[in-house]
Amino acid sequence: MSFASHDSATKQSQGDAITAEEIADSGATASEDVARYALILGDDSLMLAQRLGGWISRAPELEEDIALANIALDLLGHARFLLTYAGSAWGKSEDDLAYFRDEEDFRSCRLVEQENGDFGTTIARQLIFSFYAHELYTRLLDSEDRTLSAIADKALKEVAYHQDHAAQWVLRLGLGTEESSRRMQSGLDSLWPLVEELFVDVEPIERLEGVAVPPSSLREPTMRRVAEIIEEAGLTVPDAAPAYGGDRRGLHSEQRGFILAEMQVLARRHPDATW
Amino acid sequence: MTSEHSSSNTWPLWEVFIRSSRGLSHVHAGSLHAPDATMAVRNARDLYTRRNEGTSVWVVPADAVTASDPDSKGGFFESAQGKSYRHATYYTKSEGVKHL
């Protein structure tokens, strides 16, 4: 392992978990379909990481600021793994894919690109996404694709914590004051129409049996567990029809252009910049 | 916390103790704010175990800690000065004891 030398100034010990660099160096090449699948998962993580990063210096308390930043960095790590692997199919780097694709080329769902809203709305999204991601990576562990399986193994432990963080906050906001409960409910209500998009079996997933996890198979377990938390928090599971569109084909919401502008401007204005 | 602050929305303070590996004691790592004990453990994990520092975390409400008075340092700690007989090195070893 390259980290055994502990040459980092902060003496970070990464253990033997997978890194994006190892994926790049491993020579594992994704097929076109696997790459497109990895892009779907990676783009979700990337967008949500970027959004959560927006809380830094703005969270209600310093401690929560760090918690949200930690979660953002975990998600950014997942995005790096998945985009690096996807890029192996096309000779592109993670940075090529993150910074030099346009709005319609991203395969993320609309849920993750929505503005943060208030803390209740952010926590509502964390609840939905982290429970979805936990079900996803639990099953992706058994993927016949060894790189995807290794990524799932690393991501699963982190997502388990994201789930816990979200659930703890939903309970506290739901059972807290009248105001916190109202805001938590309103966060859930506003995002609910975008939830269904997570569970649509888009192309090319149907051709990847044994490799990809069909999103439709995650609907029941995810929503059952999310509903349990919502009810335990004294809140109501929203009953809203899915928003029109949203099949991960680039039919994005208006927020995507803004989030990408902010995320990509530096890399595009100063190509190959390092610091 | 004085009554002046108790009406504000500030979360209570917690002291954090981390055990770095099995067999060692928990050591005070610092303090943090959290709304309750459950969240305090999670915040401690985020703040103090980012670089693999710990295998176990304790949190204690800061106002549950009773501390010695910093102004009475003299009476409290100085009496140990000059009492070298409290250290093993003060004593000479007995004749015939080879390995000590």
Side-chain angles (χ1 to χ4, degrees):
Chain A
M1 280 291 149
S2 55
F3 282 97
S5 60
H6 288 284
D7 46 10
S8 152
T10 49
K11 297 229 187 246
Q12 293 198 22
S13 161
Q14 305 232 353
D16 52 6
I18 193 169
T19 64
E21 288 74 14
E22 282 165 11
I23 294 173
D25 295 343
S26 70
T29 310
S31 68
E32 174 78 17
D33 280 348
V34 168
R36 289 173 60 201
Y37 176 59
L39 218 47
I40 288 173
L41 306 187
D43 283 349
D44 276 355
S45 300
L46 180 62
M47 290 289 190
L48 189 51
Q50 178 72 15
R51 272 299 181 222
L52 288 178
W55 274 105
I56 295 172
S57 83
R58 292 176 169 82
E61 291 280 341
L62 177 65
E63 286 77 2
E64 194 51 33
D65 211 89
I66 292 167
L68 290 170
N70 265 343
I71 292 171
L73 284 173
D74 287 346
L75 290 166
L76 190 64
H78 307 164
R80 292 191 59 204
F81 302 150
L82 290 158
L83 295 191
T84 299
Y85 189 41
S88 69
W90 308 303
K92 287 182 185 291
S93 71
E94 48 179 317
D95 283 0
D96 293 336
L97 292 173
Y99 296 130
F100 297 96
R101 276 182 301 155
D102 293 327
E103 285 168 78
E104 60 277 12
D105 302 323
F106 278 78
R107 291 292 166 264
S108 43
C109 62
R110 289 167 297 175
L111 176 70
V112 292
E113 69 201 21
Q114 300 307 303
E115 285 176 6
N116 287 328
D118 63 9
F119 188 66
T121 308
T122 287
I123 291 300
R125 178 169 55 196
Q126 285 308 107
L127 178 77
I128 298 159
F129 189 82
S130 59
F131 275 69
Y132 152 80
H134 194 266
E135 296 297 327
L136 164 70
Y137 290 126
T138 303
R139 288 160 182 76
L140 196 61
L141 269 183
D142 298 325
S143 172
E144 287 164 15
D145 185 300
R146 288 181 57 196
T147 306
L148 288 180
S149 165
I151 292 170
D153 184 48
K154 165 78 170 143
L156 189 58
K157 294 175 199 113
E158 295 174 341
V159 167
Y161 182 76
H162 304 172
Q163 253 189 167
D164 178 69
H165 173 267
Q168 294 293 340
W169 271 117
V170 172
L171 293 175
R172 278 161 183 76
L173 295 175
L175 302 170
T177 64
E178 204 176 303
E179 174 72 356
S180 71
S181 164
R182 183 188 68 74
R183 288 189 182 221
M184 191 62 242
Q185 184 68 54
S186 129
L188 290 167
D189 291 346
S190 67
L191 296 174
W192 212 253
L194 300 176
V195 173
E196 175 58 21
E197 192 179 1
L198 290 169
F199 306 119
V200 180
D201 289 337
V202 292
E203 234 256 300
I205 295 173
E206 62 270 29
R207 292 198 296 274
L208 290 170
E209 206 186 329
V211 172
V213 180
S216 59
S217 70
L218 304 174
R219 184 187 289 112
E220 194 279 326
T222 304
M223 296 319 284
R224 179 167 37 80
R225 295 182 59 225
V226 164
E228 277 169 18
I229 301 288
I230 292 175
E231 279 158 14
E232 198 184 331
L235 301 164
T236 311
V237 178
D239 179 23
Y244 176 76
D247 49 7
R248 296 183 185 270
R249 283 187 201 152
L251 297 174
H252 48 84
S253 65
E254 62 179 306
Q255 278 84 4
R256 188 176 296 173
F258 295 103
I259 188 174
L260 288 184
E262 195 170 86
M263 188 177 83
Q264 295 179 330
V265 62
L266 186 73
R268 289 186 178 213
R269 188 166 290 179
H270 305 283
D272 302 318
T274 54
W275 59 88
Chain B
M1 206 172 277
T2 64
S3 57
E4 185 189 341
H5 294 290
S6 58
S7 62
S8 77
N9 291 321
T10 313
W11 289 344
L13 191 66
W14 302 77
E15 299 299 332
V16 180
F17 299 83
I18 308 273
R19 185 170 71 183
S20 54
S21 63
R22 280 182 68 84
L24 296 181
S25 328
H26 285 74
V27 173
H28 187 233
S31 52
L32 53 76
H33 292 93
D36 54 51
T38 311
M39 295 308 286
V41 171
R42 281 156 179 79
N43 288 350
R45 175 262 192 200
D46 284 335
L47 284 163
Y48 293 111
T49 68
R50 289 167 56 84
R51 301 180 186 90
N52 268 352
E53 289 95 335
T55 58
S56 168
V57 174
W58 287 348
V59 293
V60 177
D63 55 15
V65 175
T66 308
S68 58
D69 180 1
D71 294 332
S72 60
K73 236 170 152 180
F76 229 71
F77 299 114
E78 252 176 54
S79 77
Q81 301 281 322
K83 292 173 181 163
S84 46
Y85 51 82
R86 288 183 179 176
H87 297 268
T89 49
Y90 172 78
Y91 301 94
T92 50
K93 67 183 178 194
S94 306
E95 226 175 294
V97 177
K98 281 179 185 148
H99 309 290
L100 194 72

